[in-house]
Amino acid sequence: MKLVLKFGGTSVGNGTKISNVCEIVKKVKEDNQVIVVSSALQSTTDELLELAEYAKKGNVNEKIIDEISQRHHGAIKEIIKNNEIQNEVSGIISQLINELKKTVDGVIIVKELSDKTEDKIVSFGERLAVPIISAKLRDMGIESKFFTGGDVGIMTDDNFGNASPMMKVTQHNVKNNLSELIEHTVPVITGFIGETQQGDISTIGRGGSDFSASLIGMCLGVDEIWFMTDVDGLLTANPKIYPTAKTIPQLSYNEAVEMATMGAKGMHARALEPAKDANIPVRIKNTFKPEVDGTLINDEVIVKPDEITKAVASLNGLAMITIAGMNMVGNPGTAGEIFSMLGRNKINIIMISQSISEANITFLIKRENLRKAVSVLQVSLLGKSSVTDVTSDDEVCVVSIVGAGMKGTSGVAAKLFSAISEVNINVKMIAQGSSEQNISFVVQETDLKQTIEAIHKEFKMD
Ligand code: ASP
Ligand code: MG
């Protein structure tokens, strides 16, 4: 078989972990062709973003640069035995660290950080990771080469920070660049990174390595894509909130997409899109327990009568905005204006609801965008339209029950909301898409744990 193995940041956290990853690759490679996609070493992406923030204010943060440098050089010393390979890869890392310093110095001088430059800075996480993994594979006698996303042909638009790959061009390039090579060599490719038409580095959104892996898998028509992470698979609930949550053995693409959108294990919302389009099964597996089957995601829709809902997903860090005005009733155009205004300001809307009275529209955004969203809307709507009020609530979260069996089954919503009302939790907003594979609703963030417990119990997900 032909497989893409994607390793997340926690899987490649340090030298020992990188060795473990390479052992997995070696084993899988015995009877398969393997393409490796890797995230940055644990914490590195967050640190790079912090470094960029410092630079923007005109400050250098030597500590972060030293830490990043030591993390990577330390891993090399720890795991690469062959002197020649060790020297070669240390040289590459030193060169990248220098390039990082220069980029940061540029920002410090001008005290200005464009999205483009931020992408360049944050790209160093993955770019520093892949030479080490590839070197360790060579150290173990496995032929390997490392690449950036741009090297293999992932071309994106220039929406830096959240760029979208151009599918057709990318598919053409990746196929041309890698098809032959993978017959004898293990490519180790940076996740998260692409390149614009102008040749600038772009990133495809936090957690984007999953998306990269799925994309590369689609381009090469692989048999399976494995997301190697630090949990056993997708769980019935977030284990940090509900510790006894169970691993779900199988989900259809659509069910898993609903969960990914809801932030399941931090998976990128678009991670499954290419795999689904190309009908390639995805497995979510634990790097530290590779023998466990994990969760299989494929095109099979399995509905058992006692498993109408398969999981309860949740997303925190959100804010809810309500736009109100009596004259909005029967007055077309207000919703259009609101949403295009937010779109122009690159504020993503997570959930929308409008009651039939039409006197208000409520929607959900990330909390970090709240100030900007409220001010943009107030400035453009108050006094100039039928809107009289823009209010917000910044301590909310969204909970969603997911399962293909909900489609066409009556009584699920009744069961859900009576279970919640029994524990006295107030529901602030509800939405159900026409896919009927999820019901999402908003509660106060402090009620999240109790809400999940009540649902898990009611739908017997244990
Ligand atoms: N390193 C990037 C991040 O932390 C991409 C990824 O891990 O998937 O968001
Ligand atoms: Mg990650």
Side-chain angles (χ1 to χ4, degrees), residues 6 8-9 39-40 45-46 126 191-192 205-210:
K6 177 258 161 179
S39 292
T45 305
D46 288 334
E126 273 70 11
F192 188 46
R206 289 305 304 266
S209 298
D210 290 332

Side-chain angles (χ1 to χ4, degrees), residues 376-428:
V376 161
L377 291 168
Q378 286 179 333
V379 169
S380 58
L381 297 173
L382 294 180
K384 296 177 198 159
S385 68
S386 45
V387 171
T388 52
D389 235 341
V390 178
T391 52
S392 62
D393 183 339
D394 69 349
E395 277 173 10
V396 296
C397 60
V398 53
V399 180
S400 186
I401 55 170
V402 178
M406 293 195 299
K407 192 171 170 67
T409 307
S410 57
V412 181
K415 215 169 143 186
L416 168 68
F417 292 115
S418 65
I420 298 166
S421 77
E422 262 165 42
V423 287
N424 281 323
I425 285 166
N426 181 36
V427 175
K428 292 165 176 276

Side-chain angles (χ1 to χ4, degrees), residues 6-10 38-41 43-46 49 122 125-126 191-193 204-212 266 268:
K6 177 258 161 179
F7 295 94
T10 48
S38 182
S39 292
L41 269 60
S43 317
T44 310
T45 305
D46 288 334
L49 285 168
V122 82
E126 273 70 11
F192 188 46
I193 304 174
I204 56 174
R206 289 305 304 266
S209 298
D210 290 332
F211 188 20
S212 305
H268 191 285

Side-chain angles (χ1 to χ4, degrees), residues 17-190:
K17 289 181 180 172
I18 293 174
S19 279
N20 174 45
V21 158
C22 292
E23 289 297 338
I24 295 174
V25 173
K26 186 176 174 189
K27 182 117 197 288
V28 176
K29 208 197 152 288
E30 280 168 13
D31 10 62
N32 304 285
Q33 281 179 10
V34 178
I35 297 114
V36 174
V37 174
S38 182
S39 292
L41 269 60
Q42 193 170 13
S43 317
T44 310
T45 305
D46 288 334
E47 287 172 357
L48 287 165
L49 285 168
E50 205 185 326
L51 187 65
E53 272 310 301
Y54 267 89
K56 188 170 140 189
K57 295 183 186 123
N59 301 322
V60 60
N61 190 326
E62 300 274 2
K63 194 169 154 250
I64 291 185
I65 297 182
D66 285 348
E67 255 171 37
I68 292 177
S69 173
Q70 270 167 31
R71 179 174 307 139
H72 293 84
H73 280 296
I76 294 170
K77 283 205 195 87
E78 188 191 336
I79 61 172
I80 312 278
K81 298 198 183 84
N82 179 303
N83 271 339
E84 214 174 296
I85 299 177
Q86 197 187 95
N87 287 339
E88 186 191 316
V89 66
S90 312
I92 293 168
I93 296 303
S94 300
Q95 219 174 342
L96 284 167
I97 296 281
N98 269 337
E99 194 186 327
L100 168 64
K101 279 186 189 155
K102 276 194 202 149
T103 315
V104 170
D105 283 344
V107 176
I108 293 173
I109 291 169
V110 293
K111 289 196 193 170
E112 208 174 271
L113 179 68
S114 64
D115 291 344
K116 179 164 127 183
T117 309
E118 186 168 61
D119 267 10
K120 173 144 192 213
I121 292 177
V122 82
S123 77
F124 281 95
E126 273 70 11
R127 286 162 68 200
L128 286 161
V130 292
I132 304 178
I133 301 166
S134 184
K136 179 62 192 169
L137 288 173
R138 285 197 288 138
D139 198 46
M140 289 162 65
I142 299 166
E143 217 173 304
S144 174
K145 255 181 123 162
F146 64 89
F147 300 92
T148 64
D151 291 339
V152 297
I154 297 180
M155 190 180 278
T156 73
D157 61 18
D158 59 2
N159 182 19
F160 294 102
N162 202 10
S164 277
M166 298 174 187
M167 294 295 183
K168 285 274 172 287
V169 188
T170 298
Q171 187 161 17
H172 174 265
N173 292 349
V174 172
K175 222 168 144 185
N176 269 354
N177 290 330
L178 293 181
S179 290
E180 260 174 48
L181 181 120
I182 56 175
E183 281 171 22
H184 47 82
T185 301
V186 177
V188 182
I189 309 164
T190 58

Side-chain angles (χ1 to χ4, degrees), residues 326-438:
M326 285 317 288
N327 289 338
M328 282 164 59
V329 184
N331 203 349
T334 316
E337 206 174 327
I338 294 168
F339 298 131
S340 44
M341 187 82 57
L342 293 171
R344 276 201 295 280
N345 283 280
K346 296 200 173 145
I347 296 167
N348 190 33
I349 300 163
I350 292 166
M351 188 169 150
I352 306 173
S353 98
Q354 179 185 284
S355 68
I356 195 95
S357 81
E358 296 180 43
N360 57 55
I361 298 175
T362 304
F363 55 88
L364 221 57
I365 56 172
K366 280 193 180 160
R367 196 171 298 154
E368 69 211 37
N369 292 330
L370 180 62
R371 267 174 67 130
K372 187 171 173 193
V374 169
S375 101
V376 161
L377 291 168
Q378 286 179 333
V379 169
S380 58
L381 297 173
L382 294 180
K384 296 177 198 159
S385 68
S386 45
V387 171
T388 52
D389 235 341
V390 178
T391 52
S392 62
D393 183 339
D394 69 349
E395 277 173 10
V396 296
C397 60
V398 53
V399 180
S400 186
I401 55 170
V402 178
M406 293 195 299
K407 192 171 170 67
T409 307
S410 57
V412 181
K415 215 169 143 186
L416 168 68
F417 292 115
S418 65
I420 298 166
S421 77
E422 262 165 42
V423 287
N424 281 323
I425 285 166
N426 181 36
V427 175
K428 292 165 176 276
M429 177 180 169
I430 302 174
Q432 181 189 300
S434 57
S435 76
E436 288 183 47
Q437 305 208 358
N438 97 32

